[in-house]
């Protein structure tokens, strides 16, 4: 998947060291966030709803000062075209869907793990590419199709490896449970045999 993404970036209009820096910074930040989210879902005694609510409130505390200093709050106040029911409803709907998206993300990380969550997040770009091609008639070159195929194959290989790992883990747990039950039965049989002799 990484090879497919790097190869696809060669078709970009422009690639700079600044862009690569922010891309790497985004990757490391996302990795740290997802790993901490996994830790938080297992240790913090809060419901999923409470976690999402606190997460969104903390985001507001960070984003409002930035919007204020960049003048976006003033721009919103003087832009009368944004003061409509249509804009308000669409903005509310986006926040409503985003809230449940965060809930689904927390549930996915708590049930699976950070790696699976990251892989699924990367693979969702593939259907977005197909939707852009189908709905907006976006032109895709043969190279782009090839790179998308590489990403798909990477996702399938990861899924196959996870399924095999899960089956092996279940098999080992069953063998361990059988061994434990056998050890617990043998002392009982030996005690009954001794009582019979007496």
């Amino acid at each position: 998947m990484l090879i497919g993404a790097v190869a696809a970036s060669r078709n970009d209009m422009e690639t700079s060291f600044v862009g690569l820096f922010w891309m790497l910074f985004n990757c490391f930040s996302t990795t740290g966030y997802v790993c901490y989210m996994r830790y938080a879902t297992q240790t913090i005694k809060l419901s999923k709803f409470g976690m999402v609510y606190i997460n969104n409130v903390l985001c507001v505390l960070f984003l409002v000062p930035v919007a204020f200093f960049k003048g976006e709050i003033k721009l919103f106040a003087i832009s009368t075209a944004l003061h409509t029911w249509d804009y308000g409803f669409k903005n509310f709907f986006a926040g409503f869907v985003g809230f449940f998206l965060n809930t689904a993300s927390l549930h996915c990380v708590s049930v699976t793990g950070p790696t699976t969550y990251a892989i699924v997040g990367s693979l969702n770009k593939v259907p977005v590419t197909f939707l852009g091609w189908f709905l907006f008639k976006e032109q895709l070159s043969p190279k782009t199709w090839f790179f998308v195929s590489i990403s798909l194959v990477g996702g399938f290989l990861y899924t196959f490896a996870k399924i095999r790992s899960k089956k092996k883990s279940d098999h080992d747990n069953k063998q361990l449970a059988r061994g434990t039950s056998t050890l617990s039965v043998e002392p009982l049989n030996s005690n009954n045999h001794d009582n019979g002799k007496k």
Side-chain angles (χ1 to χ4, degrees):
M1 292 178 65
L2 178 62
I3 293 173
V6 171
S9 67
R10 296 189 62 178
N11 286 339
D12 291 346
M13 296 180 62
E14 183 182 355
T15 303
S16 64
F17 287 106
V18 176
L20 292 174
F21 167 77
W22 285 113
M23 183 194 69
L24 290 174
F25 182 77
N26 176 56
C27 291
F28 286 117
S29 300
T30 304
T31 302
Y33 170 72
V34 173
C35 291
Y36 175 75
M37 191 162 56
R38 170 73 170 176
Y39 169 78
T41 54
Q42 293 179 342
T43 57
I44 299 177
K45 304 301 180 182
L46 278 176
S47 64
K48 298 290 190 303
F49 181 88
M51 289 183 182
V52 174
Y53 177 78
I54 292 175
N55 183 51
N56 289 335
V57 170
L58 291 175
C59 288
V60 170
L61 295 178
F62 284 101
L63 293 176
V64 168
V66 174
F68 177 78
F69 284 113
K70 293 189 68 174
E72 294 182 4
I73 294 178
K74 181 180 179 181
L75 180 63
F76 173 77
I78 62 177
S79 300
T80 56
L82 300 178
H83 304 163
T84 61
W85 285 104
D86 181 64
Y87 175 81
F89 172 76
K90 291 177 180 177
N91 205 16
F92 171 79
F93 182 75
F96 182 77
V97 172
F99 185 88
F100 287 101
L101 179 63
N102 287 339
T103 306
S105 298
L106 280 173
H107 180 70
C108 179
V109 171
S110 63
V111 172
T112 56
T115 306
T116 303
Y117 176 81
I119 293 294
V120 172
S122 299
L123 282 178
N124 69 5
K125 308 301 186 297
V126 175
V128 169
T129 303
F130 285 118
L131 283 175
W133 168 73
F134 179 74
L135 295 177
F136 304 106
K137 308 302 180 184
E138 184 72 22
Q139 297 296 324
L140 297 178
S141 65
K143 288 184 178 180
T144 304
W145 284 109
F146 177 70
F147 300 146
V148 168
S149 300
I150 291 178
S151 296
L152 278 175
V153 170
F156 289 140
L157 287 175
Y158 174 80
T159 304
F160 178 72
K162 288 292 290 184
I163 291 174
R164 289 195 61 181
S165 176
K166 182 70 167 58
K167 287 183 178 180
K168 186 177 184 303
S169 177
D170 292 341
H171 178 73
D172 292 342
N173 290 335
K174 287 181 181 179
Q175 293 293 334
L176 183 61
R178 288 176 184 175
T180 305
S181 62
T182 303
L183 290 175
S184 62
V185 169
E186 286 179 353
L188 292 176
N189 292 336
S190 61
N191 290 336
N192 292 334
H193 183 68
D194 294 340
N195 291 332
K197 284 183 178 180
K198 292 179 180 178

